[in-house]
Amino acid sequence: MACRPPPREHRAAWLSVDGKSLRGAAKAQGRRIHLLAAVEHTTGPVLAHLDVGEKTGEVARFQPLLDTVADLAGTVVTSDALHTQREHATYLLGRGAHYIAIVKGNQKRLRRQLKALPWNDIPLEGHTRGTGHGPRRAPPDQGRHREQSALPRRPPGRPDQAPPHRPQDRQDHHRDRLRRHQSDR
């Protein structure tokens, strides 16, 4: 993979830092290759990547990775909870970048400090509603006492021919339909 900084007019406004183990690739002694990469959010090009190495981890390679990105001023850097480190935040602020940090339960003190902030006093500037990776569902308190739908539960056709759910039943179902079709001729 060749990594070169994009022209200034195409510089990333959002950058994601994440580590991935390469499938099907290994070094000597069977060690899997693990890379840490900086990816531009909107268009997806890899701006920089480094081999994490056997004796180091992603945390130690965060700053060397971003040192290869020419200008971070004004860029928002996101990463997973592993990179919620004071040193990373100090480094990003020193380069003029912004960051979004994920805080989980393993950082109890920081989590308590964040919970103590007056979040309800902060005005909501925008709202996004989406389904993510699943179907849109009604909140738990809505929809329980709705009238039953007038739509049939089975697909149109003969009511005794509900689609089977188990694979072996599907085979029998298709074989029986084929026999009926052939006998109608």
Side-chain angles (χ1 to χ4, degrees), residues 14-17 41 62 75-93 97-107 110-111 113-115 117 119:
W14 288 80
L15 197 65
S16 176
V17 176
H41 270 253
F62 185 84
T75 302
V76 179
V77 178
T78 65
S79 59
D80 54 19
L82 177 67
H83 297 289
T84 303
Q85 307 282 330
R86 181 174 289 139
E87 296 81 23
H88 293 353
T90 304
Y91 169 79
L92 290 170
L93 293 174
H98 309 282
Y99 62 90
I100 296 176
I102 307 298
V103 179
K104 291 190 173 181
N106 60 343
Q107 296 191 12
L110 178 57
R111 196 163 166 93
Q113 289 173 337
L114 289 173
K115 280 189 169 201
L117 292 174
W119 294 107

Side-chain angles (χ1 to χ4, degrees), residues 40-179:
E40 202 270 318
H41 270 253
T42 54
T43 57
V46 174
L47 301 180
H49 71 273
L50 292 175
D51 185 8
V52 171
E54 196 169 337
K55 300 291 182 188
T56 62
E58 284 185 29
V59 173
R61 303 296 284 163
F62 185 84
Q63 290 181 21
L65 171 76
L66 292 177
D67 283 340
T68 64
V69 177
D71 186 13
L72 287 179
T75 302
V76 179
V77 178
T78 65
S79 59
D80 54 19
L82 177 67
H83 297 289
T84 303
Q85 307 282 330
R86 181 174 289 139
E87 296 81 23
H88 293 353
T90 304
Y91 169 79
L92 290 170
L93 293 174
R95 297 268 321 260
H98 309 282
Y99 62 90
I100 296 176
I102 307 298
V103 179
K104 291 190 173 181
N106 60 343
Q107 296 191 12
K108 291 177 179 37
R109 185 170 156 218
L110 178 57
R111 196 163 166 93
R112 273 195 313 271
Q113 289 173 337
L114 289 173
K115 280 189 169 201
L117 292 174
W119 294 107
N120 292 331
D121 298 340
I122 300 171
L124 182 63
E125 295 292 327
H127 179 75
T128 303
R129 184 178 187 149
T131 58
H133 293 288
R136 176 171 266 161
R137 293 194 170 104
D141 60 339
Q142 296 177 2
R144 283 192 206 143
H145 303 292
R146 266 191 233 156
E147 292 180 23
Q148 291 295 325
S149 171
L151 298 174
R153 289 182 178 232
R154 293 184 178 166
R158 299 167 92 176
D160 62 335
Q161 291 184 346
H165 299 288
R166 298 184 318 171
Q168 62 269 29
D169 292 341
R170 273 190 227 120
Q171 291 170 354
D172 294 342
H173 175 75
H174 292 298
R175 186 176 54 243
D176 292 344
R177 287 190 65 183
L178 181 62
R179 284 184 189 150

